[in-house]
Amino acid sequence: MKKIFAIAWKDAIIRFASSSELIFFIILPIVFTFLLAGGTPSGNEDPRIWLLVVDEANTPISQQILHELENSTAVRPEVVTRAEAQKQFDDRRADAVFIIPAGIDIASLQSGSAEVELLQQPNNINATVAERAILTAIRSVSSNVSAAQNAVNQRESIQPFASDAEKQDYFASSLELAQSIQADAPERVTVVEGLTEDEVDYDPRANSSAGQLITWVFIPLFAISALFAYERQQGTLRRLLTTPSSKATFLLGTITGQVAMALVQMLLLVGFGILVMKLNWGREPLALFVILFASALAAAAFGTTMGTFIKTEGQASGLSIMFGMVFALMGGCWYPLELFPSAIQNAVKILPTTWAMQGMLDLGLRGGGLMDILPEAGVLLGFAVIFFSVGVMRFRFE
């Protein structure tokens, strides 16, 4: 056991002899995961269109319009100053700006003199949607005012008001009643969502987190071949095997060390996914460990087999990167497999990345558990057995 640990520790020292290795170990995987996921989380992001609102009236009517916009399913209003709104609009960072000028009050609505402003970017669908939402909000508020005014007119035709104060009080109570009735009115449109499932299971956060984890962990594990080539070129492998250490001990120490470092890297990337991207990787910790461990073993076994065919360290490094990138692309780490033709989807089942990615997505995207990922883990362990067997049989010290 001490020999295995010593060999693993030696390989770790060689790998992290340069601090730049940390860039590939954790920094670049996190950067690519973050960028490909579209930035920081969020399962709870507001999908509505961002709408800048300038409220210069600051009256009960303008507040009611804002309230209607906040309850809209189409837009998400944000109140800013006119200068800020104009700057955002001029820089084309805002699709639309809704301006409620001073003087918008009940009297202006009653007289029909109320006017608002709407700035829209040309040929912009979001701006058009915002316009429809604004018109709906204004109609909702003005209809209440119209209903209250009609109530006042009806009351006045039956019995004149004793004073303007009584008339205003009657209008205010009628407006409040109209708003209450509108708020309690049943929905007149029934929304029925289709039950047809999307053929593509895709969540940019989950797919990016799982895909980049597999990509950046598999490449160094494939590079086990470079370790063997380096030891062989330097002659240290021959000297090492002349010691009481057996071939099995050397292989076990090298592979154990690389798999252990891979698991540390995986756990760091999983932690980033949980803490920053708000993914539920930690929901089934045992299942997660099983699929990560099986994936690491399969990749390490493939690297071991590569090391028995490759002669130089340079060849090993280049081929490790090439195989890692191609396997990641074809295995669905960058794009959902469902987007590939059916023939390709069947062909790539010979790649360990395909099964690793499917197992990860079963956990993070499809809500699976240990029993759901056992088939993928079994296939990955099968890959490991086959590649390790070939690698051990072909292993030579020169």
Side-chain angles (χ1 to χ4, degrees), residues 278-302:
K278 307 304 180 186
L279 294 168
N280 59 348
W281 292 129
R283 183 178 53 82
E284 292 282 347
L286 178 58
L288 178 66
F289 177 78
V290 168
I291 195 66
L292 292 181
F293 184 65
S295 301
L297 282 181
F302 184 80

Side-chain angles (χ1 to χ4, degrees), residues 316-332:
S317 298
L319 287 174
S320 298
I321 295 173
M322 184 192 75
F323 279 125
M325 291 296 183
V326 172
F327 282 19
L329 172 62
M330 301 303 294

Side-chain angles (χ1 to χ4, degrees), residues 295-378:
S295 301
L297 282 181
F302 184 80
T304 302
T305 298
M306 282 178 58
T308 64
F309 289 93
I310 295 170
K311 301 300 182 184
T312 67
E313 183 186 6
Q315 288 178 343
S317 298
L319 287 174
S320 298
I321 295 173
M322 184 192 75
F323 279 125
M325 291 296 183
V326 172
F327 282 19
L329 172 62
M330 301 303 294
C333 298
W334 299 352
Y335 303 99
L337 270 183
E338 293 84 355
L339 299 180
F340 290 76
S342 57
I344 300 294
Q345 293 183 36
N346 291 323
V348 297
K349 290 180 179 178
I350 64 171
L351 303 178
T353 48
T354 302
W355 298 94
M357 188 66 181
Q358 292 307 304
M360 291 292 289
L361 292 182
D362 281 347
L363 290 178
L365 184 60
R366 304 182 186 105
L370 180 61
M371 298 304 296
D372 299 291
I373 59 92
L374 283 182
E376 288 92 346

Side-chain angles (χ1 to χ4, degrees), residues 69-90:
L69 290 174
E70 288 169 354
N71 292 332
S72 169
T73 58
V75 296
R76 173 172 52 89
E78 179 181 344
V79 180
V80 297
T81 63
R82 182 185 283 264
E84 175 63 20
Q86 191 66 54
K87 184 176 184 303
Q88 298 262 16
F89 185 78
D90 292 342

